[in-house]
Amino acid sequence: QVQLVESGGGLVQPGGSLKLSCAVPESIFMMYTMGWYRQAPGMQREWVGESTRRDMTTYQDSVQGRFTISRDHAKNTLDLQMNSLKPEDTAVYYCSAISPSTGTPAYWGQGTQVTVSS
């Protein structure tokens, strides 16, 4: 069973920064595009951004320039550095492995809560 394990969530003030990490099995990390999603209360889960196997990244417009996704190839982790956080970034953040054959999420982490509030 594939397990993706997120860490690093918490409470941060508006304008602050937070870094999330996702531990990924090596076989998945090497073959899959890895993405971050989030789900705010009462909302559908939405795509935040992703990193391909070759470290090419794309982002949702609302986080472009504030969030950075990176892969640590030594540790097989996917990181999400979040800067200039806003209250509307409050959500449960999920790491996902996106299937190379379907282009849709194949595996999910358990999620980590990020709360942006003063």
Side-chain angles (χ1 to χ4, degrees), residues 6-100:
E6 300 99 336
S7 61
L11 174 64
V12 62
Q13 291 187 341
S17 298
L18 206 59
K19 182 178 179 180
L20 307 182
S21 290
C22 176
V24 186
E26 183 176 8
S27 59
I28 299 297
F29 192 78
M30 297 292 289
M31 295 299 295
Y32 283 58
T33 289
M34 296 301 303
W36 286 99
Y37 289 72
R38 66 186 181 185
Q39 187 167 18
M43 304 292 285
Q44 289 191 331
R45 191 173 299 187
E46 65 174 1
W47 175 81
V48 173
E50 64 188 45
S51 170
T52 69
R53 295 180 298 163
R54 293 176 174 79
D55 295 329
M56 295 189 66
T57 54
T58 52
Y59 302 93
Q60 180 197 108
D61 286 349
S62 69
V63 307
Q64 180 76 48
R66 300 189 297 122
F67 290 11
T68 302
I69 295 173
S70 60
R71 289 177 177 244
D72 186 327
H73 291 272
K75 298 179 180 178
N76 295 328
T77 59
L78 179 75
D79 296 329
L80 176 64
Q81 177 67 47
M82 303 182 291
N83 298 328
S84 301
L85 282 161
K86 306 175 181 179
E88 51 263 42
D89 294 317
T90 295
V92 178
Y93 283 71
Y94 296 90
C95 172
S96 177
I98 299 169
S99 170

